[in-house]
Amino acid sequence: MKDDIKEIIFTEEVIRSKVKEMGASITSDYQGSSPLLIGVLKGSFMFLADLARCIDLSCEIRFVSASSYGFAAVSSGSVKIGKDIDFEMSGKDIILIEDILDTGVTLAALREFVAGFGPSSLKICALLDKPSHRKADINADYVGFACPDDFIVGYGLDFAEHYRNLPYIASLKPELYS
Ligand code: IMP
Ligand code: MG
C-alpha cells in the first residue's frame, strides 16, 4: 500500500491538531445546543470519529450515505443519496460532516435533501477543500485544510475503496489512477 503513495500531504500530527481546533470551534459555537452530527459515508468515518471526541457537548451522531464517484478518480456528477432516513431532522441543529469538498456536487445535493426535513439550522464541516474544482455554489462553514489539486487518499478517503485506513493524507502516484 505504501509503495503507491507519491507524497504525504498532511501527517497524523497535523491532522490531529487541526481536528482538535475544529472541535473546539464547534463546541464554542453550539453552546446551549445539542447538535446532530451527520457523517457522510463512507469517506467521513475517520474524521467524524476523531472530531466527535473533540466536541465537548452532548450531541447526536448519525450517518447518511452519498456517492458520486464510483470507481473513477473524477466525479461522475450524479449523486446517489441513501434515502432510508430513520431519524428525526426537523427542529435540529445539524452539522453535515464530510471528508472533502471537491466539485461540491455531493454536498449541494445533500444540503438540499436535509434542508427539506426542516432542521432549525444547517452547517457544513469538511476536513478538506479543493476550491479550484468547485462546480456547485457551496462552501463549508468549518474547513480543515485547503488541499492541492492532486487526487488524495487516506484518513477515510479512498481510491476504489482502498487506502481509507492510512493514518495520514497523501497523494497517489498518478499512474495508478490515470
Ligand atoms: P464532490 O461532489 O465533487 O464535492 O465530491 C465529494 C466526494 O468525492 C467526497 O466525499 C469524496 O468521497 C470524493 N473525493 C473528491 N476528491 C477526492 C480525492 O482527491 N480523493 C478521494 N476522494 C475524493
Ligand atoms: Mg465520499
Side-chain angles (χ1 to χ4, degrees):
M1 176 165 72
K2 296 196 169 116
D3 294 340
D4 300 344
I5 297 306
K6 185 171 96 182
E7 188 192 347
I8 295 182
I9 297 176
F10 302 110
T11 63
E12 276 187 82
E13 290 68 30
V14 163
I15 296 170
R16 194 177 309 122
S17 88
K18 180 60 76 177
V19 171
K20 219 169 151 183
E21 244 173 62
M22 296 174 86
S25 309
I26 291 173
T27 303
S28 97
D29 293 351
Y30 285 82
Q31 285 299 311
S33 161
S34 175
L36 163 56
L37 312 180
I38 303 183
V40 183
L41 290 173
K42 299 181 282 269
S44 74
F45 81 98
M46 204 174 280
F47 174 43
L48 177 53
D50 287 342
L51 179 69
R53 281 177 279 188
C54 297
I55 297 177
D56 188 16
L57 292 170
S58 136
C59 56
E60 196 183 331
I61 298 177
R62 306 278 189 172
F63 292 93
V64 293
S65 65
S67 52
S68 65
Y69 267 46
F71 285 94
V74 176
S75 178
S76 65
S78 71
V79 181
K80 209 170 82 199
I81 299 175
K83 291 201 166 67
D84 248 355
I85 304 297
D86 59 354
F87 55 92
E88 193 65 50
M89 289 197 267
S90 79
K92 304 236 169 138
D93 291 317
I94 295 182
I95 312 176
L96 281 172
I97 312 288
E98 176 63 301
D99 51 0
I100 183 168
L101 242 176
D102 186 28
T103 64
V105 171
T106 306
L107 269 177
L110 260 176
R111 181 178 60 181
E112 198 184 310
F113 175 72
V114 170
F117 289 85
S120 81
S121 69
L122 177 53
K123 283 193 185 180
I124 288 172
C125 171
L127 178 64
L128 298 154
D129 189 12
K130 278 185 189 165
S132 62
H133 280 194
R134 204 74 91 248
K135 285 188 194 143
D137 179 22
I138 190 160
N139 281 302
D141 302 281
Y142 302 96
V143 180
F145 308 102
C147 67
D149 258 359
D150 271 356
F151 191 77
I152 53 177
V153 295
Y155 197 69
L157 290 117
D158 74 308
F159 175 59
E161 300 301 333
H162 282 77
Y163 310 103
R164 293 193 197 272
N165 57 323
L166 288 170
Y168 45 76
I169 293 167
S171 56
L172 267 188
K173 291 183 178 157
E175 61 267 29
L176 288 165
Y177 61 87
S178 49

